Amino acid sequence: CHQDHVDLWQPNTASLICKNATVDVHVKRNDTQGLHAHLKQQHIDYGVFISNLQKEIEKQTGYRSSRKRRSESQYDYEVYHSLEEIQSWMFEMNKTQSHLVDMFSIGKSYEGRPLYVLQIGKRSRHQKKAVWIDCGVHAREWIGPAFCQWFVKEAINSYQYDSVTRRLLNQLNFYIMPVFNVDGYHFSWTTDRFWRKTRSKNHKFHCRGVDANRNWKVKWCEEGASSHPCDDTYCGPFPESEPEVKAVAKFLRKHKKRVKAYISIHAYAQMLLYPYSYKYATIPNFNCVELAAHNAVTALYSAYGVRYRYGPASTTLYVSSGSSIDWAYRNGIPYAFAFELRDTGYFGFLLPESLINPTCTETMRAVKAIASGLLKKCETDRDRFPYI
């Protein structure tokens, strides 16, 4: 009965709520008393994690002198940045770090914003294997774009003195897309902090936006996606209806011979997920992918002792169709991962800026472990997955 008054954070759709499961919801101030009464009446245990959401939001979007710093050397990687700031940072990196960075656009968003990607790696005459990393598919997951920026900063700064980083950048190219869902991210800064979807318009309904992680051309709009435009997991009118998804799919198809790993950064749950999302089945190169995930989670744990669960998305998180990892895998990218970063629900999407550094530091270790694994041969599944 309170369906209309709550914004589901975890899980993201009511159909996934089951007996004895934990549910995270965000409620408007005026609806809290009604919900308290309803939960008591139903004998459902509950606790309040954040009593004043507005105050928490303002902590992360408020004016601070450090936000306004223009030059890269003073750029603050431990605060959240608006789309404009992230884009000018990308231009700056492209200008000042041209020996390792190349910036290009792969298309335009629904609202006409450019979709920028940074290529990181030492220039090379021969074709190098590549890793794709995107952040900010879901607008409200602000730790994502923060990580993509952190990754670029760390890769460039440690290239001189860290032999692992140097080897990775010499032998691989990294394609980094700091903000996949540019329109949604901008909207989450200006209007609705908890917006998830893109901002495309639907003719028949007043509701806007499509879940950019349900819009891929693989088992599109089956289990774990909604066909209703007002839902948070709306799959869209057809696969790749969203220009952002279409642009990334086109780019990855074009470079699929070289791209060996696809990594998508989400929040929150503290998990590392791999295919399949759409069914409970084992992927052909399970042993190699499972080993890569194990190594990544172990590396992540080594930083601060934060435990991540890892496994197939369908069994570890939930079944979803039309996801980017299933699409990447089906299109010949042997290692396809989705990270769900911190936390497990205490702050949820409002992860404090004080946790950007530790979250990115540990995630960096995991991503470097996955990338390092690509430079070694994994023999166990070679016969079953020819792309390795």
Side-chain angles (χ1 to χ4, degrees):
C1 80
H2 283 267
Q3 176 69 35
D4 297 337
H5 304 296
V6 303
D7 164 26
L8 280 172
W9 282 16
Q10 205 77 282
N12 52 37
T13 178
S15 59
L16 292 169
I17 297 171
C18 52
K19 211 176 166 177
N20 297 328
T22 305
V23 178
D24 298 341
V25 296
H26 146 228
V27 193
K28 291 191 178 79
R29 191 176 62 181
N30 301 349
D31 298 329
T32 50
Q33 276 181 312
L35 184 62
H36 282 299
H38 180 70
L39 293 170
K40 279 201 180 106
Q41 188 193 336
Q42 298 291 326
H43 304 293
I44 296 170
D45 286 340
Y46 68 91
V48 177
F49 279 167
I50 304 172
S51 55
N52 186 341
L53 215 51
Q54 187 61 31
K55 203 165 96 193
E56 288 300 317
I57 292 170
E58 282 162 11
K59 275 188 202 167
Q60 297 178 10
T61 48
Y63 176 82
R64 277 199 300 280
S65 59
S66 61
R67 286 192 178 284
K68 294 291 149 208
R69 291 195 175 143
R70 284 269 160 2
S71 75
E72 193 280 318
S73 60
Q74 296 171 303
Y75 194 80
D76 191 347
Y77 291 90
E78 299 190 33
V79 300
Y80 295 117
H81 290 280
S82 66
L83 182 66
E84 292 70 24
E85 287 169 1
I86 294 171
Q87 288 182 340
S88 50
W89 166 83
M90 291 175 85
F91 278 102
E92 189 71 26
M93 293 307 266
N94 187 46
K95 197 170 75 190
T96 60
Q97 309 292 335
S98 56
H99 59 300
L100 289 174
V101 178
D102 185 35
M103 177 178 171
F104 54 93
S105 164
I106 57 167
K108 280 196 157 58
S109 71
Y110 178 82
E111 292 178 343
R113 293 181 175 87
L115 302 170
Y116 290 126
V117 173
L118 293 176
Q119 177 184 308
I120 316 289
K122 189 170 185 289
R123 319 242 161 194
S124 157
R125 275 188 288 279
H126 67 279
Q127 293 265 320
K128 297 201 298 187
K129 287 180 181 177
V131 176
W132 170 277
I133 306 175
D134 61 52
C135 297
V137 166
H138 293 137
R140 61 194 180 183
E141 300 167 9
W142 285 10
I143 188 61
F147 172 73
C148 267
Q149 292 178 91
W150 189 278
F151 179 90
V152 172
K153 168 208 44 131
E154 277 299 305
I156 288 161
N157 291 355
S158 64
Y159 182 76
Q160 297 306 335
Y161 64 83
D162 179 59
S163 60
V164 177
T165 303
R166 193 159 50 248
R167 188 159 166 257
L168 291 175
L169 295 192
N170 286 350
Q171 298 191 28
L172 299 168
N173 277 331
F174 291 84
Y175 294 113
I176 314 291
M177 189 177 193
V179 190
F180 182 113
N181 177 9
V182 284
D183 299 346
Y185 187 71
H186 178 75
F187 189 75
S188 75
W189 271 78
T190 59
T191 313
D192 178 358
R193 174 63 184 83
F194 302 113
W195 188 257
R196 169 183 166 96
K197 301 188 286 181
T198 62
R199 293 293 298 154
S200 54
K201 286 193 175 109
N202 185 289
H203 317 306
K204 299 188 192 72
F205 292 83
H206 65 280
C207 298
R208 288 181 73 156
V210 167
D211 185 337
N213 204 27
R214 302 290 185 278
N215 191 235
W216 297 74
K217 210 171 189 164
V218 54
K219 298 290 168 192
W220 176 77
C221 220
E222 293 183 21
E223 193 186 343
S226 169
S227 56
H228 197 288
C230 295
D231 288 346
D232 257 352
T233 54
Y234 175 45
C235 60
F238 53 90
E240 293 183 20
S241 61
E242 304 312 283
E244 302 84 357
V245 172
K246 196 179 176 68
V248 173
K250 184 182 169 188
F251 180 85
L252 291 173
R253 269 194 289 262
K254 188 176 159 192
H255 298 281
K256 73 179 191 183
K257 290 265 191 294
R258 291 193 299 117
V259 178
K260 298 299 173 191
Y262 169 91
I263 298 171
S264 195
I265 307 289
H266 292 259
Y268 58 93
Q270 293 176 195
M271 291 175 181
L272 177 52
L273 310 167
Y274 49 82
Y276 297 106
S277 302
Y278 73 87
K279 64 177 177 181
Y280 303 112
T282 306
I283 50 175
N285 63 332
F286 173 81
N287 294 331
C288 290
V289 172
E290 216 260 352
L291 178 65
H294 171 81
N295 290 343
V297 165
T298 304
L300 188 148
Y301 176 83
S302 74
Y304 305 104
V306 172
R307 292 184 189 279
Y308 268 51
R309 290 173 58 200
Y310 66 95
S314 55
T315 53
T316 313
L317 188 58
Y318 45 63
V319 170
S320 67
S321 56
S323 75
S324 66
I325 58 169
D326 283 350
W327 183 90
Y329 188 74
R330 173 178 277 192
N331 278 268
I333 299 175
Y335 294 90
F337 292 107
F339 278 84
E340 294 282 351
L341 301 189
R342 295 194 197 186
D343 56 10
T344 54
Y346 189 84
F347 293 108
F349 301 117
L350 286 178
L351 194 72
E353 288 175 322
S354 59
L355 295 178
I356 292 175
N357 183 324
T359 302
C360 291
T361 299
E362 68 195 7
T363 308
M364 190 75 196
R365 292 195 186 186
V367 171
K368 278 170 78 173
I370 292 168
S372 298
L374 297 178
L375 301 179
K376 301 186 191 86
K377 275 272 182 279
C378 179
E379 299 292 351
T380 54
D381 300 307
R382 198 163 180 77
D383 51 335
R384 284 183 294 169
F385 198 89
Y387 300 111
I388 291 176

